[in-house]
Structure formats: C-alpha cells, structure tokens
C-alpha cells in the first residue's frame, strides 16, 4: 500500500461551514457498519447533491465520523487540479474519482471506496496507479461501463448505488 501524503489538488473553500446534509446520519452509521472494509479506518464515501456531492474529508476515521468530516464538493477543475468546497476540512483525496463517476453515471447517487478484500469475479482496473491521481480516475473510467462494483488494482474497491444503501457492499 502506498504511503498517504495528503490530497493531490488545491482545495478552495467557498463557505467554511459544516454543510447542512439530510443524509449525514446515514453516512455515519453505514461507515461504522462497514468497518471491516476500511483497514486503518481509511476509505471514502460520497453522496450526490444538487450542487455536486458530499464526501468524507481526507484522512477521516471512517468508523468514527463526525459532522465536520463531511465536505460538499461543488466544482472540480482537473486541468488546474483545484476543487471548490463548502466545509471546514479538505475533501477526500479521491474526489477526482468520485466526481468522474457521478459524471459518467447519472443514475448513481452514492459511492463507497474501501480497501477490504472482496472476493468474486469482479471487473478490475488493468494497471496500478497512485491514489488520488488523474491516471487512477482514468483507469476506473476505462472499465466502469454499467458495473456497480469494481476492484481498483492493488488498492481497493469502488461500490456504486442509486442510494447509499444500494452502494453498501454485501458479500
Ligand atoms: P482519503 O482519506 O483522502 O479519502 O484517502 C483514503 C484513500 O482511500 C485513498 O485511496
């Protein structure tokens, strides 16, 4: 596993306030329930909003999330590697990936990325790429199609759903 060195983009804070979120309790309780998929309590969870998506803050302890660990991403600029947010913390380092999946799959409203082992015949990205990178995002888009669960080679899994409950892995 790669060493975590923080996000690989610049965060621009629009409103430095904890975003108001209808589903925050759901995210917090699902994250607790999925602790076996989050070795070292690391991973990230997001849900689509009208303005973008709410995602866990980078470096969050997923099994013990607090309200200020949720950040709303409202704009993503890949070219300039900038992400605009409402919240008090930096968003997950995988925000490029979550954003790309929401763009590619309009019916998807929730995404969970964890590191626990998942068995089965699951589509897997072809090449290893560093976490939080544009290259990793592209690897995922290459095999995404209509799959709702994929393995990110030598890294973890990505699980998608129409709701956060649908996105919760059940293996
Ligand atoms: P974040 O803590 O930044 O969400 O990153 C954890 C991770 O899973 C990187 O792939």
């Amino acid at each position: 596993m790669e060493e975590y060195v923080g996000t690989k983009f610049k965060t621009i804070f629009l409103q430095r306030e904890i975003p108001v979120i209808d589903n925050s309790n759901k995210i917090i309780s699902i994250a607790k329930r999925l602790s076996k998929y989050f070795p070292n309590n690391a991973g990230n969870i997001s849900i689509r909003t009208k303005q973008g998506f709410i995602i866990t803050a980078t470096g969050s302890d997923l099994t013990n999330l607090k309200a200020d660990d949720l950040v709303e991403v409202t704009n993503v600029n890949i070219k300039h590697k900038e992400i605009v947010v409402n919240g008090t913390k930096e968003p997950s380092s995988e925000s490029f990936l979550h954003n790309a999946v929401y763009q590619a799959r309009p019916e998807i409203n929730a995404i969970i990325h964890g590191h626990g082992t998942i068995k089965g015949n699951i589509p897997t990205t072809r090449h290893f790429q560093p976490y939080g990178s544009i290259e990793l995002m592209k690897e995922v888009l290459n095999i995404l199609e209509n799959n709702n669960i994929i393995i990110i080679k030598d890294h973890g899994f990505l699980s998608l759903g129409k709701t956060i409950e649908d996105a919760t892995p059940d293996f």
Side-chain angles (χ1 to χ4, degrees), residues 37-52:
Y37 294 112
F38 301 134
N40 304 321
N41 302 341
N44 32 76
I45 299 179
S46 72
I47 49 169
R48 194 193 285 273
T49 62
K50 284 202 183 85
Q51 298 199 76

Side-chain angles (χ1 to χ4, degrees), residues 58-155:
T58 189
S60 291
D61 174 351
L62 282 198
T63 56
N64 192 21
L65 285 175
K66 305 279 188 296
D68 68 347
D69 291 321
L70 298 174
V71 180
E72 186 171 30
V73 170
T74 60
N75 205 8
V76 173
N77 186 323
I78 290 179
K79 191 165 157 229
H80 294 114
K81 298 218 171 140
E82 287 177 350
I83 294 194
V84 180
V85 303
N86 293 318
T88 59
K89 296 186 177 178
E90 276 194 87
S92 167
S93 53
E94 298 295 359
S95 292
F96 285 134
L97 174 61
H98 288 246
N99 181 63
V101 172
Y102 286 124
Q103 286 191 342
R105 298 280 300 277
E107 83 286 11
I108 292 301
N109 295 309
I111 302 173
I112 298 175
H113 165 55
H115 301 138
T117 320
I118 290 182
K119 294 193 195 91
N121 191 12
I122 301 170
T124 303
T125 56
R126 286 185 202 103
H127 308 287
F128 171 81
Q129 298 291 357
Y131 84 84
S133 65
I134 304 297
E135 291 75 19
L136 182 141
M137 177 194 92
K138 287 181 179 164
E139 285 285 329
V140 169
L141 290 180
N142 278 342
I143 63 154
L144 186 61
E145 298 180 1
N146 286 324
N147 297 307
N148 280 354
I149 175 97
I150 64 158
I151 303 277
I152 304 173
K153 188 176 167 59
D154 300 333
H155 181 152

